[in-house]
Amino acid sequence: MNISQLFTEFKHVELPGFVDIEFGTHHGRPKKSFSILRWPNGKPCGILNAWLTEVSAVTTGQTTRQYCVNVTSCLRYCHREDLSFTDLNDSHVYKLVEWLCVDKKHSQFSTSERNNNQVIVIMQTFIEFLLWFQREFLDSAGVVLIGEKKRSARITVVPKKNPVTGEVSYTHLALPPRVAPEDDVRAMPDTYIEKIEDEIFRRSDTAYLPLKAKAKLTNNPTLFLARSEYVYARRMYMKWAMKRFGLRPSELIETSIPMNQNVLSMRMISLPTKKKRRDNAEIRHLKLKPDDCEHIVRYLDERNSFLEKLNQLGQRPLHQHSFFLTVSGTPLTTQSMTKDFSRLAIGAGLTNLKVCFSMFRHRFITKEILVHIKQILNVNKPNRGLLSEPVIRSICERIRKKTGHGSKASLWVYFDAAFDDIELWGGIDETLDAYDTIESLDDEAVRLRHQVLKQEGDDTTLVQLNSIAEQLRTIKARLSKPSF
């Protein structure tokens, strides 16, 4: 399979808007992100790019990029079979769906490239494009490429109405059945977090550097060590912030430096709320504990030290206001942070397991439900019968303000996970103690361990710190769920 990317994303562009005939002026449409597609042979896919231009007028964020990701496989299929869009028919749709379902990962030939749900998303996006193509170009020519059965179209689609929004979308009989996501709301286990922490620590130790990295260290040790220290600080803060606030990756990336310069005095962090179909994200404000402030200030100090070091070495990168930076001092993208986390998970030996940022979010929400059940019901060992629908709605509304969920209903599924925790630990107080106290000690042990190594402390101190970390992990392992 050709794995080269078929789209290019542009940041901060101006697309055609409208012309004011009366005043003879043109008004563009500024977009934070816009993507265009090309065929596998490198030629631009003009008709799809015209569709993406229209899509961008009614969407926000990186929607066009996601649409490009979705239809890339369809472009590859059409190019491989030497088909234009007007050549397609129901038979081709069935073959395309079959290919999407059986296609294997290029690095793991025994593993499917995508599951049924992903195939459905890809095909629904492609169907959306073909319906637009039909309306804009083929209807006027009397050609019926795609439509409902009564139109005798070459591709027959079936309308489907959303019972909640009333919106109508279209599907095809070739699409596979949906599958229930595995561990869809599974919280990130302690053991996974610990393995990722170990991998972050290992990658910061010059003794474990690969040969190519050691060559860079020899050529410019000052720059290399400055980059290494910053990347360590960035990764550790990423892990901590995900665990502490249950953020979406883009919310962490787009955290504002100016808004969070005074966290020590304000005891509050300001975070953007993404996934709201708005170019300008709403800001939510969360209260902080003293330990939280120390984590944030420590990272910002490391970040500032890194930028100062780059300036001293004659490297003055642009966009130094970005919260997360690359090793060159430029803004880190959400995609790059996600790939970096994936590399950490693989390096930690978590290759055949589901490990993703959303699991930190599930962990945070489950913990928040426990906290609010305790506050509202004022009991340590509640049962499900005590939770009436108004109580659940009240808890969901409180948590929604912290997580930025658009709908309270999407939080209901987490209550079962919270009660499972209560049954395991014996009560809410015990559960929250296990979440907070031991985690705090573990974070501090990991930080001191790195600090000693960085300052080349004596071996005895490092052995003691390693022993503390190991004891903490032993305690946590005894308290953890068997599935973890």
Side-chain angles (χ1 to χ4, degrees):
M1 185 181 78
N2 180 13
I3 60 171
S4 60
Q5 190 169 279
L6 297 187
F7 63 90
T8 302
E9 182 181 14
F10 299 93
K11 297 287 189 177
H12 303 288
V13 299
E14 185 173 288
L15 299 178
F18 67 94
V19 175
D20 191 324
I21 299 178
E22 182 179 355
F23 295 98
T25 56
H26 167 263
H27 300 272
R29 286 189 293 110
K31 301 293 293 185
K32 290 185 177 181
S33 170
F34 181 70
S35 298
I36 59 173
L37 278 158
R38 57 184 171 276
W39 290 97
N41 61 9
K43 293 183 179 180
C45 189
I47 195 68
L48 263 168
N49 291 332
W51 171 63
L52 290 170
T53 302
E54 290 208 10
V55 166
S56 71
V58 293
T59 58
T60 59
Q62 294 180 300
T63 302
T64 57
R65 184 185 193 280
Q66 187 58 53
Y67 275 30
C68 287
V69 172
N70 292 349
V71 301
T72 288
S73 299
C74 304
L75 274 186
R76 293 190 195 283
Y77 174 82
C78 290
H79 184 264
R80 188 189 70 186
E81 301 295 324
D82 195 24
L83 296 168
S84 69
F85 296 133
T86 52
D87 293 331
L88 294 171
N89 57 37
D90 278 328
S91 177
H92 294 127
V93 173
Y94 277 97
K95 290 179 181 178
L96 172 56
V97 170
E98 181 183 8
W99 175 66
L100 291 172
C101 290
V102 302
D103 192 25
K104 303 297 183 183
K105 289 186 177 180
H106 66 278
S107 58
Q108 302 174 33
F109 292 106
S110 62
T111 306
S112 296
E113 178 71 21
R114 52 192 74 83
N115 62 32
N116 284 8
N117 294 349
Q118 292 169 315
V119 171
I120 292 170
V121 170
I122 289 170
M123 290 306 302
Q124 286 182 331
T125 305
F126 193 48
I127 288 171
E128 184 179 336
F129 157 69
L130 292 176
L131 288 168
W132 172 86
F133 183 41
Q134 176 71 48
R135 289 194 307 270
E136 297 296 322
F137 296 95
L138 302 183
D139 279 346
S140 59
V143 178
V144 185
L145 171 65
I146 185 170
E148 297 181 38
K149 186 177 180 179
K150 60 186 178 184
R151 295 196 66 185
S152 299
R154 293 166 61 88
I155 299 174
T156 303
V157 289
V158 180
K160 191 175 182 181
K161 187 174 183 179
N162 186 310
V164 178
T165 65
E167 294 181 356
V168 177
S169 60
Y170 289 85
T171 185
H172 192 279
L173 294 178
L175 270 60
R178 288 191 179 274
V179 294
E182 297 182 7
D183 297 325
D184 194 35
V185 295
R186 186 186 184 191
M188 180 70 79
D190 288 330
T191 51
Y192 289 13
I193 296 174
E194 290 156 6
K195 288 178 183 294
I196 290 168
E197 286 174 347
D198 281 344
E199 180 63 12
I200 294 172
F201 186 81
R202 187 187 68 80
R203 290 182 179 232
S204 71
D205 190 344
T206 55
Y208 294 97
L209 292 176
L211 291 176
K212 188 175 180 180
K214 286 183 178 179
K216 293 181 180 179
L217 173 61
T218 304
N219 293 336
N220 194 336
T222 303
L223 176 60
F224 184 88
L225 292 174
R227 287 174 168 175
S228 179
E229 283 300 316
Y230 171 68
V231 170
Y232 174 83
R234 188 190 74 199
R235 286 169 171 165
M236 291 302 289
Y237 182 83
M238 170 197 72
K239 181 269 303 180
W240 173 82
M242 287 292 184
K243 187 168 64 172
R244 175 64 181 84
F245 302 117
L247 302 174
R248 301 179 179 94
S250 57
E251 293 173 345
L252 180 55
I253 286 289
E254 296 184 27
T255 300
S256 168
I257 292 285
M259 284 187 180
N260 294 291
Q261 289 285 14
N262 300 314
V263 292
L264 274 175
S265 57
M266 300 293 292
R267 295 286 177 88
M268 185 176 293
I269 187 171
S270 300
L271 299 168
T273 302
K274 305 297 290 182
K275 210 174 180 180
K276 287 282 190 177
R277 299 290 184 187
R278 298 175 183 173
D279 282 324
N280 296 317
E282 292 180 0
I283 302 298
R284 62 186 191 272
H285 307 281
L286 304 181
K287 293 180 180 179
L288 299 174
K289 301 174 183 177
D291 287 349
D292 298 334
C293 297
E294 289 181 14
H295 275 283
I296 298 168
V297 171
R298 189 184 302 132
Y299 166 71
L300 292 177
D301 287 345
E302 291 283 356
R303 177 188 171 282
N304 292 336
S305 297
F306 174 59
L307 286 173
E308 288 175 8
K309 184 64 69 175
L310 289 182
N311 287 329
Q312 292 170 9
L313 294 172
Q315 300 185 20
R316 293 177 175 80
L318 300 174
H319 308 295
Q320 297 184 10
H321 60 277
S322 298
F323 196 82
F324 273 179
L325 305 170
T326 66
V327 293
S328 301
T330 55
L332 186 75
T333 64
T334 303
Q335 290 77 23
S336 295
M337 185 179 73
T338 303
K339 287 180 180 178
D340 185 54
F341 181 74
S342 178
R343 286 191 290 267
L344 291 173
I346 292 171
L350 303 173
T351 51
N352 296 320
L353 301 166
K354 179 182 177 181
V355 184
C356 56
F357 281 134
S358 62
M359 294 170 71
F360 284 109
R361 189 166 173 82
H362 302 328
R363 179 191 182 96
F364 174 80
I365 294 170
T366 303
K367 178 182 173 183
E368 284 296 308
I369 287 175
L370 292 171
V371 171
H372 288 89
I373 289 176
K374 173 70 175 177
Q375 290 177 347
I376 291 177
L377 300 181
N378 196 29
V379 293
N380 188 43
K381 295 183 179 180
N383 58 64
R384 288 172 170 82
L386 292 175
L387 286 182
S388 62
E389 185 170 321
V391 170
I392 293 177
R393 290 186 182 278
S394 174
I395 293 174
C396 287
E397 178 59 24
R398 295 185 186 192
I399 296 174
R400 187 187 68 81
K401 292 177 181 178
K402 291 186 178 182
T403 62
H405 274 78
S407 169
K408 297 188 290 290
S410 59
L411 293 169
W412 283 49
V413 68
Y414 293 96
F415 280 82
D416 284 337
F419 273 101
D420 287 343
D421 276 354
I422 294 172
E423 290 171 6
L424 174 77
W425 298 90
I428 293 180
D429 292 335
E430 292 83 353
T431 306
L432 295 177
D433 284 344
Y435 267 112
D436 291 333
T437 307
I438 302 175
E439 271 188 5
S440 178
L441 290 172
D442 195 19
D443 285 342
E444 186 64 13
V446 171
R447 186 184 72 82
L448 290 173
R449 180 182 170 201
H450 176 71
Q451 197 71 17
V452 169
L453 182 65
K454 182 175 71 172
Q455 296 177 356
E456 298 182 350
D458 60 70
D459 292 341
T460 302
T461 307
L462 188 56
V463 168
Q464 290 174 342
L465 285 170
N466 285 334
S467 176
I468 293 171
E470 188 59 36
Q471 290 176 48
L472 285 168
R473 293 182 184 187
T474 301
I475 296 171
K476 290 168 76 174
R478 287 168 55 193
L479 296 173
S480 292
K481 294 181 180 180
S483 61
F484 283 7

